Every structure is written in structure tokens, then in C-alpha cells.
Amino acid sequence: MITDHLAKTLQVEVALVGRICESSMKSLRSLTHRSQALRTTAVSVKGYSALNVEIPLENSPLEQVVQKGGDVIHGERLKELFPKDLYIQGLDAESFLGVPLRDSRRNVIGIIAVYDTKPLKNHRLIESTIQIFASRIANEIERSQVSEELKAQASILQQINEAVITADLNGTITNWNTQAEALFGITTEEAVGSTLSCLLPEKDRSSLRQKLISPVLVEGHHQTEIEFRHKTEKTIFCLVNISIQRSSRGSILGIIVCCTDITAHKQSEARERESQQRLAFHIDRAPLAFIEWDRDFKISAWNPAAERLFGYTCEEVLGSDCSKINDLENETPAFIASEGRLEHVRSRIKHVTENITKQGRRITCEWLNTPLINEKQEIVRFASLIQDITTRVESEKALLEAKEAAESANRIKNEFLSVRSEERRERKERRSRWKTNN
């Protein structure tokens, strides 16, 4: 309607509006040079309307409009000035006036122009008239391009195997793919037009900009973990990657939020953390010393009972080797004879060793050692429970010595009695022989 109105009002043969695009016409030059064209969105030629016509910019007055970034006027002799412009030759045009169309960033995105078969008269009036329409047309073209880009992006989002949401800078949702529907239980119709804050728990809704929008505007990309709310009020934990959504010309349209459901992982972490806390509670209060070693036999855990037994604090031994508590001539724990046996240890090993306290006192300890296996059935660490049996060993030694002494005394006594018995028997036999002889 605008081009028809312009053509009739200004009494020119052709009025057109088009946007700048990459030329689809192939030539030898296009192999080494990206050529541009004007793809018309509206054309009025001698009262007939047409659109989507591609006009090459090369060697044309349209190219001058783009290069100059301003109005270009050729009031006469147009065919002589641009002999290679087939569009001009086809129209048999004699004059031209073109005005650039600019987007919100002042980039030339299109052209509004008129051609005529006779020299232009009152070209200043024509130029002023065209300029009145230029700003409005540029806005329409920009909105149209943005709309097309958003539709293309929405189509792409549906193909991504991840929940993807786009929103404007106010947090209003503009696109919502099927994976987002499955994750949050909210249909696209329900989501589009609502705000991202409806996905957050009540306590976090006021911090929407702080959590999702401000960081990405500062950094360009932002990754974080966020607690979301399912339609059923169930809690969802997501790893969220947020980036800026831009148009093809670089203007900011909003943000893109990609959500990966990590709820099961977070729940597993919570269970593991709870299990670790319970284990740590019991280990810290265990009456037996507990030591954990890595594969290089460096100490990685040391409970209070171990501190009391060996005299070293946890800070003094963490990361150190076994030599602190073992005989200096034997730095490797006795339950592993050599590195070659390491992978063959698959069960608990019980043994007794002589150990040394921080004060230099030698003690006898009973060790129960267990290899810690990962999901690949590889030994990653060792855990040891240690009991001081010095008193028991000393008591057993004293008891053994007493037993041996008693057995020795009993043996001596038996030997003595045996000798005395033999002597009595011999005396008796001698008396019997004497009586017989006398």
C-alpha cells in the first residue's frame, strides 16, 4: 500500500521497499566475493504490486545508498551512469532517488527508492516524502526480521534434547520447548506470556533478576544450579546455562535458559553427605583408633581415638606416611608386603604390630585392615581399626612365663621324686639281698 501510494502521489513509474540480503545469484565473482542484493518486500511498477524480487546491488545506485549510508539522487541520465544495471535497463529508467532504512542500532537494513522513465522534478519534495515513511518502514522490517528469527529459533528449540526457555529482559517467557513441558509439567500455552519467577519457589521469586538475568548481562554467559518448582509443587534441581539471545544484527532480544535436570544427582549427593556425616559421627566417637590411607599409604583420616593412642593430632599426621607410627625400618604397613600384592587384597586382614607413639613409647597394636573398593572394583584406599593390646600382650607374656616357670618347677619336682623313688628302690633291693645271703 505504501509503495502504491508513493508511486501515485509522486507520479513515478516504480516505487519499492526492500531489505539487504546476501545475493543468491551465482557468478564467477561470487566465488571470491560475497555479493549483496536488495530483496523487495513491496514493489509498485506502473500501478501493479510485486514483492520478493531480488535486485543485485553491484554496479547500481542501490549500492551507493548502502555504501554512503545516506540519500542518493540521480535526477537524469541513469542508464548512462549504470550501464551494467539490468534492472535499470529493463525499466528503461532515467532517474532514481533512494533513502536508506536503518534499524535501532543505525545499521542500514534496507532501502526505499523510486525510479522513473523521465528526469526527476521537485526531487527535494520527493526526498522529503520518502523520508517521512522511511523510519516507520524500517521499524516494520526490523520487527518482521525479529519475528522470523524468533520463529526459526523456536523451531530449533523443539529439536534440542534439553529443556530450553527463552525470555525477554523482564523475565517474560517467549518460547518453551517440549522438553521444558516434560520437566516442569507446564504446557507451552500456559508458559508463554508468564514470567520465569513462576518456576521458582515462593521464597526466591523476588530474586529472579539477581539469579537469572543480571549475571548473564554482565558476563555474557552464566552457569549455576537453581532450585525450581514443578507444577505439582515438587522440587526440581537444575544445572542452568544462561546466555544472551541476540538477533542476526546483534541486538539483544532476551535470554536463553537451558535446564538440565540434576534432581536425582542432588538427592544422591544429599544421601551420600548424610551417610558421610553419620559415618564421621560414629568414627569420631569410636573407642578404637581409626586411620584411613590412600594407595601411597599417606594418611587421609585420623580420629580422636587415634590421637589418644599415638599422641599425634590429626593436623600433624594428615598427608604423612606410615613412618610416624611404624618402626622406622618398615615404612610400609605390615598388611601389605609389597606393591605387587596391592590389587590382590580383597578381604579384611588382621595382624599385630609393634608401633611407636609420639613420645617414643613402643606399644603393641592389633590392626583390622579393610580395602575400600570403588564401583570399578579397584582398591582406592584402606581403612584400619587399631586396638592397643600392650597390656593384654604383657599379661599374656607374664602368664606364659609363670606357666613355663610352674611347668619347670613341676618338672624338677617330678625329676627329684623320681630320683628319690629310684634310690629307695635300690636300698630296698640291697637289704633284701643282704638278708638272703646271711
Side-chain angles (χ1 to χ4, degrees), residues 9-25:
T9 301
L10 301 176
Q11 296 182 350
V12 294
E13 291 285 324
V14 178
L16 63 83
V17 174
R19 55 185 177 185
I20 308 299
C21 64
E22 187 175 341
S23 177
S24 63
M25 299 178 183

Side-chain angles (χ1 to χ4, degrees), residues 210-224 240-244 246:
Q210 178 185 354
K211 281 179 173 291
L212 292 175
I213 301 175
S214 296
V216 73
L217 293 178
V218 174
E219 303 168 15
H221 180 268
H222 183 61
Q223 184 181 79
T224 185
V240 178
N241 284 282
I242 313 166
S243 55
I244 294 175
R246 296 183 182 274

Side-chain angles (χ1 to χ4, degrees), residues 323-342:
S323 61
K324 281 186 177 294
I325 57 173
N326 280 4
D327 191 330
L328 293 177
E329 296 179 358
N330 180 20
E331 296 186 359
T332 302
F335 62 94
I336 298 295
S338 66
E339 179 67 18
R341 286 186 56 199
L342 189 64

Side-chain angles (χ1 to χ4, degrees), residues 186-199:
I186 300 172
T187 65
T188 301
E189 290 74 18
E190 292 172 317
V192 173
S194 62
T195 65
L196 289 170
S197 61
C198 71
L199 304 178

